[in-house]
Amino acid sequence: MASDESEDKALRATALKTAESILIARQRAERELAAAHEALERKSQELQQQREWFAVTLASIGDAVITTDTQGRVSFLNPVAEAMTGWSSAQANGEPLERVFQIVNEETRQPAENPVKRVLEQGKIVGLANHTALVSRSGRELAIEDSAAPIRDAKGAICGAVMVFHDVTGRRQADKALLEETRILELLNATGTAIAAQLDLQTLVQTMTDSATKLSGAAFGAFFYNVSGPDGKSYLLYTLSGAPREAFERFGMPRNTPIFDPTFRGEASIRSGDITRDPRYGTMAPHHGMPKGHLPVRSYLAVPIVARSGEVIGGLFLGHPEPNVFTERSERLILGMSAQAAIAMDNARLYEAAQNEIRRREQAEAALQETDRRKDEFLATLAHELRNPLAPIRQAALISKTPAATEAQKRWSHDVIERQVHHMALLLDDLLDISRVTRGTLELRTEMTELAAVIDAAVETARPSIDSKRHALSIEIPDEPLILAADPLRLAQVISNLLTNAAKYTDPQGRIRLRVEQESGAIIISVTDNGIGIPAEALERVFAMFSQVKSAQDRSDGGLGIGLALAKGLVDLHGGAIEARSSGIGRGSEFIVRLPARLLKQSKPAQTIGTPDAAPLRRRRLVIADDNEDAAESLAALLRMDGHEVTVVSNGRQALTTITAMQPEIALLDIGMPDLSGYEVARQLRDGPRGQNLTLIAITGWGQDRDKTRALEAGFNHHFTKPIEPDALLELLRADPPQN
Ligand code: ADP
């Protein structure tokens, strides 16, 4: 039993020990557990604190943050991200990122690539993507810049992604505004330079229209020149920008409608957000805004361009099919540019005027040189033409002086001399006439004249030229007498000139037709030939002084190239016009004279021209005074042959004494005598008792009107130019009394 007891005791002691050690172990374990628990608690608290701190941090930063798991499902949105996307963090939790974070490319409007996708695929940080717009849950768009990065666990494995982004709308707008500002400045600068440097009006106006269209953001621009049509209502389209010409031409020029009118009157600029609804213009009939068929204009801006002088040079019109395109600022810009353009246009117009003036002067100078050249040519021809008759005259004189000369030879010699002198006299007459016409001193002796008589006289003058070349002349003239106010001698001179030319410039046996027609208010005299014709480019020129057509020069037959100039001058003095026509070289010519028909029809003309009925001869007593003995003696011989009694003296003093002693009816005095001039002799005679009933005739080499006036003032009754036309003098002597 005792052993049992001891065994039992030992057992109990072991058990106790075991229990004790278990207890100790348990206590230790409990302590360890408590410590572990405490550590865990501490850790968890730390973690919580960290999370809170993290959340607060994320909430505090200005950028938006979104995190996702590895599948790209949203796990967190900070408040900025919530505000920008329109999703709360709770709502978004577990949603695919593409739903919560919708982005498009600002320019292409296509969905943009989500950066998180690339982060999860490639495990790399993805940098900023530009020009991206975030579309919020409500559809609002915000320009953003974003970036994303992978989230890695302690072991470096990817356990999600974080995306950071922020709103750059403000900055984007500022950038845009800056860009626009730079563009405008560059444009203004370029326009200013172009405008200042440009002197060509067309280019300038085009530059201005283009720049204004760009500056204002218009779809099309037009610049209209302020030119009014015959009705005063249309304007010439000048330059366009942004629209084809047809678009404008379809509806014609802007008219004086209430829209365009203020601009063309130079009033203030007009800007309308929507011209079709503008109460100022939209309601006005008939167009209600823009005329029908006009380009689709709603936004409208019109600015007048006013020159320094205040003159409205034109109007600049800008349009856009969208409403409200033009701002107050664009209006100010266009106004500024217009002011600059107006000055430039003024300058260009001045420059153009100066250029025109230079051109005009150059032309005038060229014309002057041409006249000069023609004058030189003329002088050469003149010298030649004046020398030409001298040889036959000298020879004829020699022949007639030779004692052996027969009567027939003498007559022939006299004929030659007479013909040549006549020719020279005609040349000199023409020369004097043309000089009077050019100086405007030629006066017409206008009287009621019968045209038929003028034609007869002209034909008679031209007859020798026509007959010598055996031309056939036909004359067509109305039966009834045509009486017109004209200088009959001058008119006959014009027509005979045309006839002589027709004869000269037509090969022998040609046809010349002279026709007189009456048209309402005008008499038309035409001379047509089938001669060498006139090249088209010379038709105008033939009326210029000293002008001869080169190809016709060998036929001019001693002409000086002044006949037609004189004809034109005389026709002009009659208030008429002369014109040359020809179908070209070898195709004949036609000269047409139009005279205003200040004509009367009456049965008998006031005066006819031609040879008057010969008056009965009266024997006169005459004194001739001339220091040129030959001239005096030959004239005396001529007068004596007509039965007059003539005394010749050779100076002024002799003239005075002889006239006083002889008491002639008529005295013919040369003006240029060495001792006493003809004027002086006349004055002294008129002052004395003998000079009262005397007819005084001046004979001078000077036949200008001024000379005639001087002679009349000195007391002469008549004036004859050397060489005297004997017929005219003899006719005067036949008249009774001879002093008119
Ligand atoms: P000209 O003394 O040379 O005849 P005009 O002044 O009379 O001078 O004429 C000027 C030029 O006009 C002439 O030289 C000639 O070339 C041309 N002309 C004039 N009449 C005719 C005509 N009937 N036919 C052809 N050419 C003509």
Side-chain angles (χ1 to χ4, degrees):
M1 243 336 260
S3 64
D4 285 351
E5 226 175 84
S6 64
E7 262 179 30
D8 196 39
K9 228 174 155 180
L11 210 65
R12 247 190 289 159
T14 308
L16 204 66
K17 251 188 172 147
T18 306
E20 202 174 1
S21 63
I22 287 172
L23 196 66
I24 288 168
R26 191 182 152 178
Q27 278 172 346
R28 199 167 56 224
E30 269 176 7
R31 267 201 316 275
E32 276 173 6
L33 196 69
H37 192 76
E38 201 178 316
L40 200 68
E41 189 73 1
R42 234 182 8 251
K43 200 83 194 158
S44 149
Q45 264 177 12
E46 261 174 33
L47 213 62
Q48 183 61 27
Q49 267 175 357
Q50 250 180 17
R51 204 174 262 159
E52 275 169 17
W53 181 83
F54 188 60
V56 168
T57 306
L58 284 183
S60 312
I61 62 170
D63 285 358
V65 179
I66 299 181
T67 57
T68 69
D69 61 16
T70 51
Q71 302 306 306
R73 277 190 298 267
V74 175
S75 54
F76 170 78
L77 266 76
N78 79 345
V80 181
E82 284 181 324
M84 283 173 71
T85 58
W87 290 79
S88 73
S89 192
Q91 283 168 338
N93 200 12
E95 293 285 344
L97 181 65
E98 287 75 17
R99 273 199 78 198
V100 178
F101 185 72
Q102 274 186 48
I103 48 175
V104 290
N105 183 293
E106 270 182 320
E107 272 136 35
T108 63
R109 311 302 303 162
Q110 295 300 312
E113 191 201 358
N114 207 309
V116 168
K117 206 168 150 245
R118 200 136 42 99
V119 166
L120 292 177
E121 275 168 14
Q122 300 174 355
K124 282 193 220 151
I125 296 176
V126 173
L128 300 172
N130 267 328
H131 306 298
T132 313
L134 170 70
V135 184
S136 79
R137 209 173 179 189
S138 63
R140 185 172 64 115
E141 270 188 33
L142 290 173
I144 58 160
E145 275 175 2
D146 53 23
S147 64
I151 305 174
R152 294 180 190 274
D153 62 16
K155 290 195 190 99
I158 293 175
C159 58
V162 57
M163 191 171 55
V164 181
F165 57 97
H166 54 261
D167 179 0
V168 291
T169 311
R171 209 175 73 205
R172 205 59 62 79
Q173 275 167 355
D175 281 354
K176 242 193 205 152
L178 198 68
L179 221 66
E180 174 65 5
E181 215 51 22
T182 314
R183 188 185 73 89
I184 287 175
L185 274 176
E186 278 171 0
L187 203 59
L188 273 179
N189 194 18
T191 310
T193 316
I195 285 179
Q198 192 48 256
L199 283 172
D200 176 59
L201 198 58
Q202 290 243 22
T203 320
L204 175 69
V205 170
Q206 185 66 59
T207 309
M208 188 184 83
T209 316
D210 289 344
S211 302
T213 310
K214 280 190 210 146
L215 264 180
S216 62
F220 23 74
F223 180 80
F224 293 91
Y225 235 67
N226 199 35
V227 176
S228 49
D231 58 353
K233 281 199 171 181
S234 66
Y235 297 92
L236 180 71
L237 183 63
Y238 211 79
T239 51
L240 300 171
S241 201
R245 215 151 246 280
E246 307 82 74
F248 281 84
E249 271 157 10
R250 200 154 27 87
F251 69 91
M253 306 296 154
R255 287 147 290 184
N256 279 353
T257 56
I259 318 172
F260 299 122
D261 194 38
T263 308
F264 286 119
R265 276 195 276 113
E267 289 172 7
S269 56
I270 293 174
R271 179 165 59 91
S272 174
D274 189 347
I275 195 81
T276 58
R277 280 159 215 265
D278 197 308
R280 288 174 297 177
Y281 312 105
T283 54
M284 288 188 200
H287 298 307
H288 302 284
M290 277 289 139
K292 212 165 173 234
H294 198 285
L295 282 165
V297 172
R298 292 187 73 184
S299 291
Y300 177 83
L301 177 60
V303 178
I305 310 285
V306 186
R308 270 171 286 214
S309 61
E311 180 202 349
V312 183
I313 308 177
L316 183 61
F317 298 86
L318 300 163
H320 199 287
E322 298 296 322
N324 303 319
V325 169
F326 304 127
T327 58
E328 198 186 325
R329 181 155 186 274
S330 47
E331 183 178 354
R332 271 206 313 274
L333 279 173
I334 298 299
L335 276 172
M337 201 203 77
S338 306
Q340 230 181 333
I343 294 173
M345 282 181 72
D346 247 6
N347 290 346
R349 295 203 314 173
L350 282 176
Y351 179 74
E352 208 167 81
Q355 288 299 99
N356 286 343
E357 178 60 19
I358 289 172
R359 263 195 298 279
R360 200 187 57 73
R361 283 190 190 184
E362 279 170 356
Q363 278 163 2
E365 209 165 293
L368 215 63
Q369 276 171 2
E370 170 63 13
T371 312
D372 219 36
R373 190 190 59 71
R374 284 210 312 262
K375 193 192 73 197
D376 289 347
E377 234 175 72
F378 160 77
L379 286 175
T381 320
L382 179 64
H384 178 252
E385 289 311 315
L386 289 178
R387 207 174 296 123
N388 262 351
L390 292 181
I393 289 175
R394 195 175 294 139
Q395 286 147 14
L398 272 173
I399 291 169
S400 81
K401 213 166 81 178
T402 316
T406 62
E407 268 317 300
Q409 279 174 324
K410 281 185 187 160
R411 254 202 315 281
W412 173 84
S413 303
H414 295 157
D415 283 351
V416 167
I417 293 172
E418 198 181 330
R419 246 196 331 273
Q420 294 302 330
V421 168
H422 180 70
H423 178 67
M424 285 178 85
L426 281 184
L427 276 182
L428 292 173
D429 278 351
D430 270 4
L431 275 175
L432 285 176
D433 283 347
I434 196 73
S435 104
R436 281 182 207 136
V437 166
T438 34
R439 284 180 299 118
T441 56
L442 191 137
E443 277 173 29
L444 293 182
R445 292 170 203 270
T446 307
E447 54 194 54
M448 296 323 294
T449 306
E450 203 216 359
L451 195 58
V454 172
I455 300 281
D456 283 349
V459 170
E460 197 181 307
T461 310
R463 184 61 82 182
S465 315
I466 297 171
D467 289 350
S468 72
K469 286 180 84 178
R470 302 187 308 284
H471 294 311
L473 171 69
S474 67
I475 300 174
E476 296 166 33
I477 183 164
D479 285 339
E480 79 270 25
L482 296 176
I483 315 287
L484 72 160
D487 181 332
L489 287 173
R490 294 307 190 179
L491 206 51
Q493 195 178 350
V494 170
I495 299 166
S496 70
N497 196 303
L498 297 182
L499 287 169
T500 313
N501 275 352
K504 274 202 293 190
Y505 299 107
T506 301
D507 286 337
Q509 296 188 313
R511 282 193 310 279
I512 300 172
R513 189 183 65 183
L514 169 65
R515 186 153 63 168
V516 177
E517 284 166 304
Q518 222 185 310
E519 239 181 34
S520 53
I523 289 185
I524 297 162
I525 306 162
S526 65
V527 176
T528 317
D529 62 54
N530 63 343
I532 62 167
I534 300 171
E537 70 278 5
L539 282 173
E540 286 275 332
R541 196 159 32 89
V542 291
F543 295 104
M545 228 197 306
F546 316 138
S547 93
Q548 293 183 312
V549 179
K550 268 259 166 320
S551 54
Q553 248 162 1
D554 54 340
R555 298 177 185 245
S556 83
D557 188 23
L560 294 173
I562 54 177
L564 285 180
L566 183 57
K568 181 175 177 348
L570 292 174
V571 171
D572 284 350
L573 282 175
H574 278 91
I578 185 165
E579 177 197 355
R581 289 184 191 169
S582 172
S583 308
I585 294 177
R587 311 188 64 173
S589 312
E590 181 179 14
F591 284 82
I592 302 162
V593 175
R594 267 167 225 278
L595 294 172
R598 275 168 292 157
L599 85 177
L600 299 169
K601 282 185 188 159
Q602 60 182 54
S603 52
K604 195 169 185 319
Q607 189 180 331
T608 55
I609 133 160
T611 331
D613 296 340
L617 180 71
R618 286 197 44 162
R619 195 181 149 85
R620 307 262 187 211
R621 285 198 322 140
L622 299 107
V623 167
I624 299 176
D626 195 334
D627 60 335
N628 183 332
E629 223 166 289
D630 282 352
E633 282 304 342
S634 60
L635 184 59
L638 206 79
L639 296 177
R640 283 184 193 120
M641 276 164 63
D642 218 33
H644 301 292
E645 184 191 329
V646 188
T647 307
V648 174
V649 295
S650 60
N651 61 48
R653 296 206 184 286
Q654 273 181 14
L656 272 178
T657 47
T658 312
I659 291 165
T660 314
M662 278 186 56
Q663 305 198 352
E665 291 165 81
I666 300 166
L668 289 121
L669 306 178
D670 177 32
I671 295 296
M673 290 183 290
D675 56 345
L676 274 183
S677 77
Y679 296 133
E680 198 44 45
V681 177
R683 254 180 242 120
Q684 292 195 22
L685 284 171
R686 290 291 187 222
D687 287 348
R690 268 305 303 128
Q692 301 313 312
N693 298 319
L694 184 66
T695 297
L696 282 175
I697 300 174
I699 299 171
T700 73
W702 306 108
Q704 297 182 9
D705 287 347
R706 197 178 53 213
D707 305 311
K708 289 185 184 164
T709 313
R710 236 184 119 187
L712 297 181
E713 278 167 7
F716 284 100
N717 303 90
H718 300 280
H719 178 280
F720 278 84
T721 311
K722 285 181 183 174
I724 292 180
E725 204 50 72
D727 283 347
L729 180 60
L730 293 173
E731 198 181 305
L732 180 75
L733 300 184
R734 285 191 188 113
D736 190 25
Q739 59 268 63
N740 291 335

